[in-house]
Amino acid sequence: MGNLCTCFSPKTPVKNKKPTKRLQGNPQTAPNSSNRWTRIRSTRKDNHDELIHEHALAAAILFRQHQQQNGSASGSFPFDRSVSLRHPNGSGSKKSQLPRSSSSRARSLTDPLLQPHQLVNQDIKLDDLETNHFVLVHGGGFGAWCWYKTIALLEEGGFKVTAVDLTGSGIHSFDTNGITSLSQYVKPLTDFLDKLVDGEKTILVGHDFGGACISYAMELFPHKVSKAIFVAAAMLTNGQSTLDMFSQKAAGSSDLMQQAQIFVYANGNNNPPTAINLDKSILRDLLFNQSPGKDVALASVSIRPIPFPPVLEKLSLSDLKYGTVRRFYIETPEDNAIPITLQESMINSSPPEKVFRLKGADHSPFFSKPQALHKLLVEISKIPST
């Protein structure tokens, strides 16, 4: 996956460094330390490090002042641990105020600059979860590569993550045109689950056609699946195929999927199609209408044909196996591939335990809303058994 890595050369050292600004603190904060707090000399050559150091000292002063004011009815205020520093009302002249954060931009749960420890609740204990192992299953034409942001966020939070390449997908070398059944297509996933030790459970996450794939696996290994999460995915009922699901689209609706499909007839035009290619000129509007351009570029050179026979295959799902696994659905309202009306139709036909809506997400929320998707995955992992 060398295309995912970018090397950055070290920054050129700053030769003529400007003197560090002085911080004006309370001269009574610490006796005999005025030189220490009013003048900061840095030996570092990186201005960015100096700024971080300056903010750390400012936070220390604020915390010291708060300790001194603790218990006083006037002028006290709760200490805030956010990046931006707060100042008490009427704190004096501008000269005595501490410097504000270098960023005034409001941050949100979907802000890509937020770190996992800022995004998820701190009371989470992985050892208390039924399982902390996520298994990510891509959609038709995608591969494990599409989860790269989700993998990084989950692993940084301490979760175990496995992203599989289904047969003929991603870096799996098998020819897509040679896939003749759903079981053959899903084999990398079922082989993985089969090799898990007894008692080990996973959280399956399926996107797009991957929803049908995890449903197939849930029927085979219900005792190895703690929860199943469908992300803009095909959540089918017994006896239904993915093609049946797509045929439910409302008549007259804008069907970009139909426009984008290019059927491949590897066995000749007189035989059924073997695979489906997607017109790359429509990919952005179909799958990535809210996603960053760099991720669209990655997808355009990584997407492979979708095997056609598995799309036609009807699932056999039983209440005693598939029905025992807890299911959750994450809706993507800006989706042009599986429109929100179709998602809600599947939810109504086979209601999951809980439904979440990822505001502003297109069909590929791992690109368009990676932080918000990560938050939902972690929150679902924390939902206890009823």
Side-chain angles (χ1 to χ4, degrees), residues 309-320:
V311 176
L312 295 175
E313 190 167 327
K314 298 182 183 295
L315 291 183
S316 178
L317 305 174
S318 66
D319 292 336
L320 294 177

Side-chain angles (χ1 to χ4, degrees), residues 18 31 106 149 234 236 250 329:
K18 294 183 179 180
K149 294 181 182 180
L236 309 178
Y329 201 98

Side-chain angles (χ1 to χ4, degrees), residues 91-123:
S91 58
S93 64
K94 293 183 179 180
K95 292 183 180 180
S96 64
Q97 292 182 356
L98 296 168
R100 296 183 63 84
S101 168
S102 59
S103 173
S104 60
R105 179 173 60 86
R107 294 189 173 182
S108 67
L109 291 179
T110 58
D111 191 332
L113 295 180
L114 289 179
Q115 298 301 314
H117 68 273
Q118 294 173 288
L119 186 65
V120 241
N121 293 333
Q122 295 298 296
D123 60 352

Side-chain angles (χ1 to χ4, degrees), residues 20-41:
T20 306
K21 294 189 297 183
R22 296 187 180 188
L23 295 180
Q24 299 297 328
N26 188 341
Q28 298 179 352
T29 299
N32 302 324
S33 61
S34 59
N35 289 337
R36 180 183 178 186
W37 295 109
T38 60
R39 189 174 184 182
I40 303 172
R41 299 182 184 274

Side-chain angles (χ1 to χ4, degrees), residues 1 23 37 54 198 219 304 319 349:
M1 300 293 287
L23 295 180
W37 295 109
E54 181 178 295
D198 290 340
E219 179 69 19
R304 295 178 61 180
D319 292 336
S349 297

Side-chain angles (χ1 to χ4, degrees), residues 25-162:
N26 188 341
Q28 298 179 352
T29 299
N32 302 324
S33 61
S34 59
N35 289 337
R36 180 183 178 186
W37 295 109
T38 60
R39 189 174 184 182
I40 303 172
R41 299 182 184 274
S42 175
T43 58
R44 298 183 181 181
K45 296 182 180 181
D46 192 333
N47 284 338
H48 179 65
D49 288 342
E50 291 178 359
L51 183 60
I52 294 176
H53 185 58
E54 181 178 295
H55 285 176
L57 290 177
I61 295 172
L62 181 64
F63 181 64
R64 183 66 175 269
Q65 290 175 341
H66 168 66
Q67 286 182 318
Q68 292 179 341
Q69 294 170 350
N70 189 24
S72 172
S74 62
S76 63
F77 60 99
F79 178 65
D80 182 60
R81 297 181 182 272
S82 67
V83 175
S84 297
L85 302 177
R86 290 186 179 179
H87 307 275
N89 293 331
S91 58
S93 64
K94 293 183 179 180
K95 292 183 180 180
S96 64
Q97 292 182 356
L98 296 168
R100 296 183 63 84
S101 168
S102 59
S103 173
S104 60
R105 179 173 60 86
R107 294 189 173 182
S108 67
L109 291 179
T110 58
D111 191 332
L113 295 180
L114 289 179
Q115 298 301 314
H117 68 273
Q118 294 173 288
L119 186 65
V120 241
N121 293 333
Q122 295 298 296
D123 60 352
I124 182 173
K125 295 181 180 179
L126 298 184
D127 292 340
D128 294 338
L129 301 178
E130 184 178 10
T131 179
N132 67 347
H133 188 178
F134 282 91
V135 178
L136 310 179
V137 182
H138 61 80
F142 290 84
W145 52 265
C146 72
W147 298 105
Y148 79 94
K149 294 181 182 180
T150 302
I151 294 171
L153 289 168
L154 287 172
E155 286 184 343
E156 190 168 347
F159 289 90
K160 182 178 180 181
V161 186
T162 302

